[in-house]
Amino acid sequence: MTSPAAPVLVIGECVADIVRSGDTPDRVHPGGSPANVAYGLARLGRPATLLTELGPDANGRLIRRHLESAGVRVWAAEVSRTPSAVVELDGQGRARYTFDIRWTLPPTELAEAPAAIHLGSIGAVTEPGAASVLALVERWRGRARISYDPNVRPALMGDRAEAVRRVERWVELSDLVKASDEDLAWLYPGERPEAVAERWLALGPAVVAVTLGAEGAFARTAGGGHAEAAALPVPVADTVGAGDSFMAAFLHARAADADLAVCLTHAVTAAALTVARPGANPPSAAELAAALGGGAPAASSGGAPPASR
């Protein structure tokens, strides 16, 4: 079991999010799902290293400063330009992404043994870099705890059947998997999230957690355990990075040996704090502790998980 101070290696893309909403000027925020998770872990006090790609441009410098300001150690292969995404927000703050990204991570040997590895999103499915990520994770599986978030981007996933195959390969390799109900709806149209979670558990993970937006989240274990948590009602600035804050808080609590219901409560609370402010801005340890002490969403073990939207 990972100790509370053990570092996490996060692998995947950095993205400059160009946020566009109505008539307001564009805003550039550091983003990219794996980068957000690394930043969220560091904000909660857990040492994190990000293996990624960055360009020698203003966006690359912005993202590096952002990550390092929280204490993330950045290992970045240099590319010609930093990936970007135009993020268009609707009236409810929900985000739609248009990407300008390549992922070409070269084969990598680690200078030190990781205690845990987290990966997902574009870096796990986009070639040629995804092959390097797979080779690295296969080398360390069994020696480091693996977590995965598919964070589905339909415009970049290609053929659905091939995307499902790739995602399920990562599920097989992982100890903990988190997905949103929207991810599952694209991967498995018409199937209930609870049914997909059970099928994924049969592939090998110890835990599968599913977020349900305003309806909260549930998690299930291979041993038959389950927990659910209601969402914390907050005014929504935007939903950018909410799932990544959920992931970071869940990993942080899980690494400290918290039980499933506690992990889920920490995660939904972190996500709520993130949606209440613009951009991928996860809570600090102090902010999360204050929110948990001041009326965190209820979590329970047993009973049926909440229904899908």
Side-chain angles (χ1 to χ4, degrees):
M1 191 69 67
T2 308
S3 67
V8 178
L9 173 66
V10 182
I11 309 172
E13 71 277 1
C14 292
V15 180
D17 287 337
I18 304 166
V19 180
R20 194 163 289 167
S21 179
D23 297 327
T24 60
D26 289 353
R27 308 185 307 274
V28 180
H29 294 291
S33 177
N36 292 340
V37 172
Y39 184 79
L41 285 165
R43 290 270 289 165
L44 293 173
R46 179 163 300 278
T49 298
L50 178 66
L51 175 59
T52 190
E53 296 181 326
L54 285 172
D57 48 28
N59 285 340
R61 293 189 293 272
L62 172 71
I63 291 171
R64 184 183 286 274
R65 285 195 304 269
H66 169 75
L67 292 166
E68 291 178 345
S69 72
V72 178
R73 182 167 50 169
V74 181
W75 293 343
E78 185 169 305
V79 291
S80 59
R81 70 178 185 276
T82 300
S84 63
V86 173
V87 185
E88 297 184 85
L89 302 176
D90 66 15
Q92 285 73 51
R94 293 175 300 213
R96 182 170 63 87
Y97 295 80
T98 303
F99 290 95
D100 178 10
I101 186 168
R102 297 177 68 241
W103 177 246
T104 59
L105 187 76
T108 303
E109 294 294 338
L110 301 181
E112 58 189 48
I117 298 174
H118 174 73
L119 67 142
S121 195
I122 297 164
V125 296
T126 301
E127 300 295 356
S132 299
V133 180
L134 179 61
L136 193 154
V137 170
E138 286 180 331
R139 284 198 299 276
W140 286 97
R141 188 187 184 215
R143 293 181 285 169
R145 177 182 282 171
I146 310 299
S147 57
Y148 170 60
D149 176 3
N151 193 41
V152 169
R153 302 302 187 197
L156 301 176
M157 297 295 285
D159 175 74
R160 190 191 308 270
E162 176 61 17
V164 169
R165 186 194 68 78
R166 284 175 175 266
V167 167
E168 290 182 350
R169 175 57 178 152
W170 284 120
V171 172
E172 290 172 352
L173 290 170
S174 299
D175 303 293
L176 166 65
V177 179
K178 171 261 175 189
S180 71
D181 55 351
E182 292 178 349
D183 294 335
L184 301 185
W186 188 86
L187 291 166
Y188 309 102
E191 294 196 44
R192 298 179 69 243
E194 296 84 357
V196 177
E198 291 293 343
R199 190 162 69 251
W200 278 7
L201 285 169
L203 295 177
V207 179
V208 172
V210 179
T211 60
L212 304 166
E215 296 182 25
F218 70 87
R220 294 189 173 184
T221 73
H226 58 282
E228 58 187 83
L232 187 67
V234 293
V236 177
D238 64 52
T239 61
V240 177
D244 303 322
S245 291
F246 179 102
M247 185 84 248
F250 197 105
L251 288 174
H252 182 65
R254 184 80 173 166
D257 293 337
D259 68 27
L260 193 64
V262 170
C263 292
L264 207 56
T265 298
H266 282 223
V268 297
T269 305
L273 292 171
T274 302
V275 302
R277 50 200 188 192
N281 187 2
S284 66
E287 288 172 327
L288 181 58
L292 289 167
S300 61
S301 295
S308 172
R309 281 185 292 207

